Amino acid sequence: QVQLVESGGGLVQAGGSLRLSCAASGSRFSMYDMGWYRQAPGKQRELVAGITSDSTTNYADSVKGRFTISRDNAKNTVYLQMNSLKPEDTGVYYCNAKRTFIYVMNYWGKGTLVTVSS
């Protein structure tokens, strides 16, 4: 089992920055693909950024060039650095962990709220 705890959310003005952290408990963290998702009220949850076990990254087009996902396997932590924030970035950000090819090993955190004011 993997438990995920997000932190770092808050209120920020447009153009500002935040860094989200996701701390994972459990073994074999380095073998998990990690991702950040977000969900705004009335909208479906969407992938924001992902990083695989071999550190390959991918980003939603809407955040490309502004957000950076990274991981520190020694700390069992994944980060999302968010720069040049826009009001449309507002939402609850969730951390996800998934083992490749093992579909039952798919875990979610409870989320952290990011609010970007205009």
Side-chain angles (χ1 to χ4, degrees), residues 26-71:
S27 62
R28 305 287 184 172
F29 173 79
S30 63
M31 299 185 69
Y32 283 83
D33 296 336
M34 305 295 297
W36 285 99
Y37 293 73
R38 70 185 177 195
Q39 187 169 24
K43 297 183 179 179
Q44 65 184 26
R45 189 173 300 185
E46 63 176 344
L47 176 67
V48 176
I51 183 166
T52 66
S53 59
D54 67 354
S55 295
T56 299
T57 59
N58 66 283
Y59 299 91
D61 288 342
S62 61
V63 308
K64 183 74 174 181
R66 299 187 296 120
F67 291 10
T68 302
I69 188 171
S70 61
R71 66 191 299 159

Side-chain angles (χ1 to χ4, degrees), residues 3-117:
Q3 295 185 358
L4 306 172
V5 180
E6 302 97 335
S7 62
L11 175 64
V12 64
Q13 291 185 333
S17 298
L18 285 173
R19 190 179 77 158
L20 306 183
S21 298
C22 173
S25 64
S27 62
R28 305 287 184 172
F29 173 79
S30 63
M31 299 185 69
Y32 283 83
D33 296 336
M34 305 295 297
W36 285 99
Y37 293 73
R38 70 185 177 195
Q39 187 169 24
K43 297 183 179 179
Q44 65 184 26
R45 189 173 300 185
E46 63 176 344
L47 176 67
V48 176
I51 183 166
T52 66
S53 59
D54 67 354
S55 295
T56 299
T57 59
N58 66 283
Y59 299 91
D61 288 342
S62 61
V63 308
K64 183 74 174 181
R66 299 187 296 120
F67 291 10
T68 302
I69 188 171
S70 61
R71 66 191 299 159
D72 187 338
N73 290 338
K75 296 181 178 179
N76 280 19
T77 302
V78 62
Y79 305 95
L80 184 67
Q81 178 66 48
M82 306 187 295
N83 298 326
S84 302
L85 283 162
K86 304 175 180 179
E88 52 262 43
D89 295 319
T90 294
V92 178
Y93 283 69
Y94 298 90
C95 182
N96 173 261
K98 182 179 68 176
R99 280 287 304 276
T100 304
F101 304 129
I102 308 176
Y103 60 91
V104 295
M105 294 185 178
N106 193 336
Y107 306 95
W108 294 90
K110 294 182 179 180
T112 185
L113 178 63
V114 172
T115 303
V116 184
S117 65

